[in-house]
Amino acid sequence: MIQSPRFQITDDKTEEAKNIHTRKSGANFDIQAPLHVVTNPTNEYNYGRLVVRGDYVEQWVNGVKVTSYTIGSKEWSEGLASSAYSDGYG
């Protein structure tokens, strides 16, 4: 069963990231696409930050808030139902 959202910083130039926006860097993986893609070029460092207050989550990449959501909200639940985690495992 899914225990927590997945946050990753990845190479956004891959075919998967180009075609599936919910798998870009900073996304709430496979549930919600990031508002901004702000990753640095290959071979440069990227920094991630998670801010969690109860069920509210913010995901930051390189100092820019790229995603925010409330776990259990209608939007989060709808995204979860159509994601790789729809069976509870991913």
Side-chain angles (χ1 to χ4, degrees):
M1 184 116 175
I2 186 172
Q3 297 296 313
S4 63
R6 178 174 160 186
F7 168 56
Q8 71 178 9
I9 297 177
T10 188
D11 180 357
D12 287 321
K13 291 185 171 77
T14 65
E15 286 304 310
E16 180 180 66
K18 285 180 186 177
N19 296 316
I20 305 173
H21 298 292
T22 57
R23 295 192 178 175
K24 290 185 178 293
S25 291
N28 177 7
F29 187 81
D30 213 36
I31 297 174
Q32 179 185 13
L35 297 174
H36 313 282
V37 177
V38 294
T39 50
N40 291 324
T42 302
N43 295 325
E44 291 186 22
Y45 285 102
N46 290 284
Y47 300 90
R49 176 180 173 211
L50 289 173
V51 176
V52 181
R53 293 183 191 98
D55 291 337
Y56 177 75
V57 180
E58 293 178 354
Q59 296 179 179
W60 296 66
V61 176
N62 295 327
V64 177
K65 183 170 74 171
V66 295
T67 313
S68 64
Y69 50 91
T70 301
I71 296 172
S73 69
K74 179 182 176 191
E75 294 81 11
W76 191 84
S77 298
E78 288 171 353
L80 181 65
S82 63
S83 75
Y85 303 109
S86 62
D87 63 358
Y89 295 97

